[in-house]
């Protein structure tokens, strides 16, 4: 039984200012959230040019200027009131929204956690209106000279919520998030010019373009653009358009997949998996195609209110959308002249057979990887790691006692090596094993020698990658890369680590750098170096699907016996699994 006394209540009703700050935290998570909300409003105002300027990674200052329709003095004052909006009048309007800034809480939420100044003017007005808002309250309303449109300046973000400000990441990380927001908005709206300045320096420029491809070239460079093919499809009121990469252009994650639904950039694991499934067996497992996809569909089937930032989406007809997207991707690739039809069952058959009782986002990982690599490629990679071992491990310091002798018996599916170890049957993952070997050599050699390239390789980095690369350059150089700025949006590599022939292939160098940068900000210096070592080891290792002779398999096992931890790869996956006689007897029901 709970005892109550009336001397003092422990339950308090929060004042409105505190409630507003808590609610603002759901919408304004970081400086990039402010940028997104203000750009959304600028787009809805009919702007053809939007400029973003930030200082202090956005925590100090964010200013968004546009040439849209502007607001009257009355509307400007109302815009900062909670739940104020020009987009809806009643609940049913939520089902038919075609605009972005409909929430009606953006300016109110921003003003609750920052100092805000807005200058706005309509076309037919002689003068503009200036508002100064502090702690959610309008302090000043005055008439000023102004250009048509709006300029909103947000200063000292989270100044009155220090706990939230404390959890902001490094400046480069916060800038990378802002770049990501502006990049997505530019891709979604090629008819609008976007400019982003950081500390007075232009770091992103996407001029008004006639097509989405022009914007892609401005933002991502020609190397990616030339590997894209257009995609277009219609079905049951849905329309798909945009670009997808040829199978030879893939990334280590889906950071280069941009999905837009009814003009809004969203995160959708189901659609991302549908894109991947459309490639079927054309790309290796663990690789992701580049995609710029725009899907137009009935707003009644789309719920953007899954998350306060509207970055996630719920589809009432998700299965239909997944089938539509995957079939459109497969059809587009099949029509491309230099890409053969996949052997075996088509995507629709795969969908029909595998979706029975299996979550759709699990099916992509189950597709068999079809690529095969030559024995010559395997030999080249093994010779490199063998030389590295001989340089770093002397005979007297050999670690061969960590793993008993293994008698190699053969290979299965050009992925697994079968052998006998004492009285046990063992299965070795050839890629994971070689990855461990290379990783340990990189770890014991703090300064890797560099292999100079015959000609420098240029890197057309994405805007987000460019924000991170400066932070990574010292660690890339200590790992054996030589990389330098080669222009406003380009870097060049003229030397690579001398650890693998794969890294000496100019064609894969941009992808390696992209893989390293894709992790974003890593917490400390040790973490950055570790991530680089793991990426280099993975890239240099024998591939799954590589043909191996008996001699090559024996060489790999001998090298594995010399490492300090032969039982797992750098990412924690097992390199070797054993089956003792007792276990096999139980499996065959002999006991």
């Amino acid at each position: 039984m709970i005892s109550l006394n009336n001397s003092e209540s422990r339950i308090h009703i929060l004042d409105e200012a505190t409630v507003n700050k808590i609610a603002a935290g759901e919408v304004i998570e970081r400086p990039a959230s402010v940028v997104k909300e203000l750009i959304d409003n600028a787009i809805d105002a009919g702007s053809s040019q939007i400029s973003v300027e930030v200082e202090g990674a956005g925590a100090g200052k964010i200013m968004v200027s546009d040439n849209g329709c502007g607001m009257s003095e009355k509307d400007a004052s109302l815009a900062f009131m909670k739940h104020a909006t020009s987009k809806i009048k009643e609940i049913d309007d939520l089902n038919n929204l075609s605009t972005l800034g409909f929430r009606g809480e953006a300016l109110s939420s921003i003003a609750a956690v920052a100092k805000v100044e807005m200058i706005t003017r309509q076309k037919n007005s002689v003068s503009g209106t200036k508002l100064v808002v502090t702690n959610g309250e309008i302090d000043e309303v005055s008439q000023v000279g102004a250009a048509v449109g709006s300029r909103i300046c947000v200063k000292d973000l989270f100044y009155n919520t220090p706990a939230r400000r404390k959890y902001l990441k490094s400046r480069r990380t916060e800038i990378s998030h802002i770049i990501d927001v502006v990049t997505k908005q530019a891709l979604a709206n090629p008819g609008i010019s976007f400019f982003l300045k950081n500390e007075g320096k232009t770091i992103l420029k996407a001029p008004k373009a006639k097509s989405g491809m022009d914007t892609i070239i401005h933002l991502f460079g020609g190397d990616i653009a030339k590997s894209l093919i257009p995609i277009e499809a219609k079905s049951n009121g849905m329309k798909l358009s945009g670009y997808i990469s040829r199978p030879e252009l893939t990334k280590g994650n889906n950071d280069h997949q941009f999905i837009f639904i009814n003009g809004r950039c969203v995160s959708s694991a189901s659609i991302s998996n549908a894109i991947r499934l459309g490639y079927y067996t054309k790309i290796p497992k663990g690789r992701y195609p580049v995609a710029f996809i725009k899907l137009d569909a009935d707003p009644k089937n789309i719920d953007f209110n899954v998350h306060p930032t509207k970055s996630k989406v719920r589809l009432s007809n998700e299965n239909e959308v997944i089938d539509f997207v995957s079939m459109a991707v497969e059809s587009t690739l099949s029509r491309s002249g230099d890409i053969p039809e996949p052997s075996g069952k088509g995507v629709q058959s795969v969908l029909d057979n595998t979706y029975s009782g299996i979550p759709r986002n699990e099916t992509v990982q189950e597709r068999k990887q079809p690529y095969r690599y030559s024995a010559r490629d395997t030999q080249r990679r093994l010779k490199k790691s063998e030389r590295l071992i001989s340089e770093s491990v002397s005979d007297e310091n050999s670690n061969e006692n960590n793993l008993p002798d293994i008698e190699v018996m053969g290979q299965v599916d050009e992925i697994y090596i079968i052998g006998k170890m004492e009285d046990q049957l063992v299965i070795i993952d050839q890629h994971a094993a070689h990855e461990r070997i290379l990783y340990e050599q990189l770890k014991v050699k703090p300064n890797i020698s560099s292999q100079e390239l015959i000609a420098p390789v240029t890197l057309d980095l994405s805007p987000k990658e460019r924000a991170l690369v400066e932070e990574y350059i010292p660690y890339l150089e200590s790992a054996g890369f030589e990389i330098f700025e080669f222009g406003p949006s380009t870097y060049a590599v003229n030397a690579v680590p001398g650890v693998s022939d794969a890294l000496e292939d100019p064609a894969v160098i941009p992808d390696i750098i992209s893989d390293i940068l894709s992790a974003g900000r890593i917490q400390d210096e040790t973490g950055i170096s570790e991530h680089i070592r793991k990426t280099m080891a993975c890239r240099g290792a024998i591939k799954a699907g590589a043909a191996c002779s008996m001699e090559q398999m024996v060489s790999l096992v001998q090298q594995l016996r010399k490492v300090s931890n032969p039982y797992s790869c750098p990412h924690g996956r097992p390199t070797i699994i054993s089956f003792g006689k007792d276990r096999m007897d139980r499996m065959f029901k002999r006991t």
Side-chain angles (χ1 to χ4, degrees):
M1 183 174 179
I2 300 176
S3 175
L4 298 176
N5 65 71
N6 296 323
S7 61
E8 183 179 357
S9 175
R10 298 179 62 187
I11 306 300
H12 305 281
I13 304 299
L14 295 174
D15 61 85
E16 185 175 359
T18 303
V19 170
N20 286 342
K21 290 174 185 176
I22 294 172
E26 298 178 1
V27 178
I28 309 302
E29 298 176 313
R30 62 193 334 148
S33 306
V34 175
V35 174
K36 179 183 180 301
E37 297 296 340
L38 296 182
I39 290 180
D40 279 353
N41 288 345
I43 292 171
D44 288 342
S47 306
S48 62
Q49 180 172 315
I50 300 173
S51 298
V52 181
E53 298 180 35
V54 298
E55 295 176 5
K61 173 185 172 182
I62 297 170
M63 187 165 69
V64 177
S65 307
D66 67 65
N67 63 348
C69 63
M71 287 184 279
S72 66
E73 179 180 325
K74 180 179 179 181
D75 283 348
S77 299
L78 288 173
F80 285 93
M81 296 182 66
K82 193 170 178 61
H83 303 307
T85 179
S86 63
K87 307 300 187 296
I88 62 174
K89 292 184 177 180
E90 54 190 32
I91 191 66
D92 289 343
D93 292 340
L94 286 171
N95 296 323
N96 297 286
L97 285 166
S98 59
T99 55
L100 299 174
F102 65 84
R103 185 182 299 107
E105 294 182 9
L107 291 179
S108 173
S109 297
I110 294 169
V113 292
K115 300 169 184 176
V116 181
E117 177 185 288
M118 179 169 73
I119 296 177
T120 183
R121 179 190 156 211
Q122 292 180 310
K123 184 177 181 179
N124 297 326
S125 298
V126 177
S127 61
T129 301
K130 176 182 177 180
L131 281 86
V132 177
V133 185
T134 307
N135 226 12
E137 299 292 331
I138 297 177
D139 289 341
E140 176 189 337
V141 180
S142 59
Q143 300 299 305
V144 295
V148 174
S150 298
R151 187 185 74 192
I152 300 178
C153 185
V154 178
K155 293 184 177 180
D156 298 332
L157 184 64
F158 302 134
Y159 77 101
N160 54 0
T161 53
R164 184 171 293 277
R165 191 182 182 100
K166 183 177 69 173
Y167 284 104
L168 292 178
K169 304 300 182 183
S170 72
R171 287 195 171 194
R172 288 197 182 275
T173 299
E174 296 300 338
I175 285 295
S176 73
H177 284 289
I178 292 172
I179 290 173
D180 199 39
V181 166
V182 180
T183 298
K184 291 173 179 177
Q185 295 282 23
L187 289 170
N189 302 277
I192 301 176
S193 295
F194 285 89
F195 298 90
L196 172 60
K197 287 186 176 181
N198 178 37
E199 307 293 347
K201 179 183 178 181
T202 300
I203 59 173
L204 184 152
K205 182 166 61 175
K208 183 177 180 179
K210 293 182 179 180
S211 69
M213 176 56 76
D214 291 339
T215 301
I216 291 170
I217 293 172
H218 277 295
L219 294 174
F220 295 90
D223 286 346
I224 283 183
K226 69 184 180 183
S227 295
L228 300 176
I229 52 178
I231 182 172
E232 190 168 346
K234 293 181 180 180
S235 177
N236 296 331
M238 295 182 290
K239 180 182 178 182
L240 187 69
S241 61
Y243 301 90
I244 58 175
S245 63
R246 296 179 181 276
E248 60 265 25
L249 174 62
T250 61
K251 299 292 182 179
N253 55 43
N254 60 6
D255 277 0
H256 280 70
Q257 291 183 2
F258 297 88
I259 301 167
F260 302 88
I261 299 182
N262 288 2
R264 187 183 295 276
C265 190
V266 299
S267 173
S268 173
S270 58
I271 294 180
S272 180
N273 283 340
I275 294 170
R276 177 64 174 80
L277 185 60
Y279 281 76
Y280 195 51
T281 58
K282 292 185 176 76
I283 59 178
K285 181 180 178 181
R287 303 298 296 173
Y288 297 84
V290 174
F292 303 88
I293 295 292
K294 294 185 178 182
L295 176 66
D296 294 313
D298 189 340
K300 293 180 180 178
N301 294 327
I302 304 168
D303 181 8
F304 287 113
N305 291 301
V306 179
H307 190 273
T309 64
K310 314 299 183 192
S311 61
K312 297 181 180 180
V313 65
R314 180 184 293 118
L315 304 169
S316 61
N317 60 337
E318 184 176 84
N319 290 351
E320 183 181 354
V321 171
I322 290 174
D323 291 353
F324 170 57
V325 172
S326 59
M327 289 296 294
V329 171
E330 182 195 29
S331 177
T332 299
L333 294 172
S334 297
R335 287 196 305 269
S336 184
D338 59 340
I339 303 173
E341 286 278 346
S343 59
K345 299 178 180 178
V347 169
Q348 188 58 54
S349 299
V350 174
L351 292 171
D352 294 340
N353 293 334
T354 61
Y355 283 176
S356 177
I358 301 176
R360 289 175 179 261
N361 62 358
E362 294 181 6
T363 60
V364 173
Q365 285 73 21
E366 296 177 2
R367 300 281 66 80
K368 183 179 176 182
Q369 195 270 96
Y371 289 109
R372 295 295 179 262
Y373 300 86
S374 68
R376 178 182 294 181
D377 179 77
T378 300
Q379 186 66 17
R380 187 171 63 247
R381 294 172 188 268
L382 280 172
K383 285 293 185 183
K384 178 71 69 154
S385 58
E386 187 176 354
R387 286 197 298 270
L388 285 169
I389 286 178
S390 64
E391 292 171 4
S392 59
V393 181
S394 60
D395 290 339
E396 58 268 23
N397 294 323
S398 173
N399 291 312
E400 289 188 2
N401 292 331
N402 288 325
L403 189 66
D405 193 22
I406 295 175
E407 178 187 350
V408 175
M409 301 167 66
Q411 185 186 34
V412 174
D413 204 23
E414 298 182 338
I415 299 176
Y416 303 107
I417 296 172
I418 307 299
K420 182 180 180 182
M421 184 175 68
E422 297 176 340
D423 62 344
Q424 300 180 77
L425 174 71
V426 296
I427 304 175
I428 299 172
D429 183 320
Q430 63 192 38
H431 173 74
H434 200 218
E435 194 176 19
R436 164 55 68 176
I437 294 165
L438 287 171
Y439 169 77
E440 292 213 2
Q441 302 319 306
L442 292 169
K443 195 170 183 178
V444 299
K445 298 182 70 173
N447 294 311
I448 303 297
S449 61
S450 296
Q451 172 72 43
E452 188 171 348
L453 299 171
I454 296 175
V457 173
T458 57
L459 307 175
D460 286 325
L461 301 178
S462 72
K464 185 176 180 181
E465 289 170 337
R466 292 198 294 270
L468 296 170
V469 70
E470 289 293 336
E471 187 172 6
Y472 274 77
I473 282 178
Y475 307 102
L476 289 168
E477 288 179 342
S478 68
F481 289 94
E482 288 185 14
I483 181 171
F484 57 93
E485 193 170 0
F486 196 62
S489 62
T490 306
Y491 283 78
V493 177
N494 59 12
V496 297
V499 295
S500 170
D501 289 343
L503 296 186
E504 295 163 18
D505 178 3
V508 304
I509 292 172
D511 208 15
I512 293 167
I513 300 295
S514 181
D515 284 353
I516 291 170
L517 296 175
S518 66
R521 172 66 174 146
I522 299 177
Q523 290 302 314
D524 53 39
E525 296 180 4
T526 302
I528 295 175
S529 301
E530 182 77 356
H531 178 63
I532 291 173
R533 283 194 292 267
K534 289 179 179 178
T535 300
M536 291 164 53
C538 182
R539 283 294 185 163
I542 296 171
K543 303 303 180 185
C548 291
S549 67
M550 182 64 71
E551 182 182 1
Q552 290 168 342
M553 288 186 281
V554 170
S555 174
L556 178 63
V557 170
Q558 289 175 344
Q559 291 182 33
L560 185 63
R561 295 184 65 209
K562 295 180 179 180
V563 303
S564 61
N565 179 13
Y567 295 101
S568 67
C569 80
H571 302 96
R573 292 195 304 111
T575 59
I576 181 169
I577 295 175
S578 63
F579 297 83
K581 184 177 183 301
D582 290 344
R583 183 178 177 185
M584 288 190 287
D585 285 344
R586 289 194 301 272
M587 291 169 64
F588 285 99
K589 302 188 184 300
R590 287 182 171 273
T591 57

